[in-house]
Amino acid sequence: GAVVSQHPSRVICKSGTSVKIECRSLDFQATTMFWYRQFPKKSLMLMATSNEGSKATYEQGVEKDKFLINHASLTLSTLTVTSAHPEDSSFYICSARGAERAANTGELFFGEGSRLTVL
Amino acid sequence: AQSVAQPEDQVNVAEGNPLTVKCTYSVSGNPYLFWYVQYPNRGLQFLLKYITGDNLVKGSYGFEAEFNKSQTSFHLKKPSALVSDSALYFCAVRGVYNFNKFYFGSGTKLNVKP
């Protein structure tokens, strides 16, 4: 299957700082990427849909200014948690579906996730 | 509206026994259903999907799932469980009107004991 790489896998930062998480599609071009947040013992919550070359589409309740998403190329999307606070601590997972794949039937490919801890 | 439900938070099974992880769905129109597995502190790995065709779908690591339209279910099964199957399993349905949107169940933790 396709490979989606996410970096860093773990990050610890001080409250008030910003953290950037990268999501790369390694062997295919991803016109659309998705960012999820997973709380402990909970399901995945879709935060936003990242579209190459255009603005991200955020889900209801997700702060656009807090979670900045940039999808500048067909293989890279970044999520920046700005002015992070302890309540932002979570497991963030990106996923992608390539342009070549059947848009209607293709499954999502997930990165390995990034564990953010804000002190 | 589209949704999936996983009624069991946890499933315990002995190694070598068959396992079933339940999933029911609610969707208008034909459902596109998926199963994913997540190991601790890792992303999700695709197991299998149902799009159309045979109701019994075979996937990775010996897993299979049966699509049952009348019961609106898509239960994950494996004839003989392994300890290494212990993980968190998610059922998902793709959005009917928004193909990019996947709706995930709450997850079921599978514990396979030796």
Side-chain angles (χ1 to χ4, degrees):
Chain A
V3 178
V4 176
S5 174
Q6 201 171 329
H7 177 81
S9 58
R10 291 177 183 273
V11 58
I12 300 173
C13 69
K14 293 182 179 179
S15 185
T17 61
S18 294
V19 174
K20 180 186 285 188
I21 301 170
E22 293 186 347
C23 180
R24 294 180 185 273
S25 56
L26 298 185
D27 57 353
F28 67 105
Q29 293 183 327
T31 54
T32 306
M33 290 184 173
F34 308 90
W35 287 96
Y36 289 85
R37 182 173 179 176
Q38 187 177 27
F39 295 94
K41 299 183 180 180
K42 294 286 187 181
S43 187
L44 285 75
M45 181 191 79
L46 178 64
M47 299 174 66
T49 301
S50 172
N51 301 299
E52 187 269 333
S54 65
K55 290 183 179 180
T57 304
Y58 289 82
E59 295 299 304
Q60 192 172 6
V62 178
E63 298 177 61
K64 301 178 182 180
D65 296 330
K66 162 66 96 173
F67 299 101
L68 299 179
I69 292 173
N70 184 276
H71 194 154
S73 78
L74 285 171
T75 59
L76 174 64
S77 175
T78 61
L79 168 68
T80 301
V81 183
T82 62
S83 186
H85 288 92
E87 58 265 30
D88 298 325
S89 298
S90 193
F91 194 55
Y92 294 89
I93 311 176
C94 72
S95 67
R97 194 172 63 207
E100 299 85 5
R101 300 169 194 280
N104 294 349
T105 63
E107 61 271 24
L108 294 178
F109 298 97
F110 286 84
E112 291 294 293
S114 300
R115 168 94 38 210
L116 171 63
T117 302
V118 185
L119 302 177
Chain B
Q2 290 77 233
S3 66
V4 292
Q6 293 179 245
E8 303 153 316
D9 286 340
Q10 186 168 296
V11 169
N12 299 312
V13 65
E15 187 175 30
N17 284 0
L19 69 87
T20 299
V21 182
K22 295 180 180 178
C23 172
T24 57
Y25 66 89
S26 174
V27 64
S28 53
N30 295 323
Y32 289 178
L33 297 157
F34 303 80
W35 273 103
Y36 286 86
V37 59
Q38 184 182 32
Y39 296 98
N41 293 309
R42 305 290 294 275
L44 276 68
Q45 294 179 35
F46 169 74
L47 279 179
L48 51 81
K49 64 181 177 184
Y50 172 81
I51 303 299
T52 187
D54 290 340
N55 290 340
L56 186 64
V57 179
K58 293 188 183 298
S60 306
Y61 312 120
F63 282 94
E64 56 189 30
E66 186 170 11
F67 172 67
N68 188 315
K69 190 173 183 178
S70 62
Q71 296 184 4
T72 62
S73 67
F74 189 55
H75 301 332
L76 181 70
K77 300 181 180 182
K78 187 172 182 180
S80 179
L82 300 172
V83 173
S84 57
D85 292 329
S86 298
L88 190 57
Y89 290 81
F90 288 99
C91 181
V93 65
R94 194 216 68 190
V96 174
Y97 303 108
N98 183 345
F99 298 155
N100 285 328
K101 207 157 185 177
F102 281 60
Y103 299 84
F104 286 87
S106 53
T108 299
K109 189 171 189 301
L110 174 66
N111 295 313
V112 182
K113 298 181 179 178

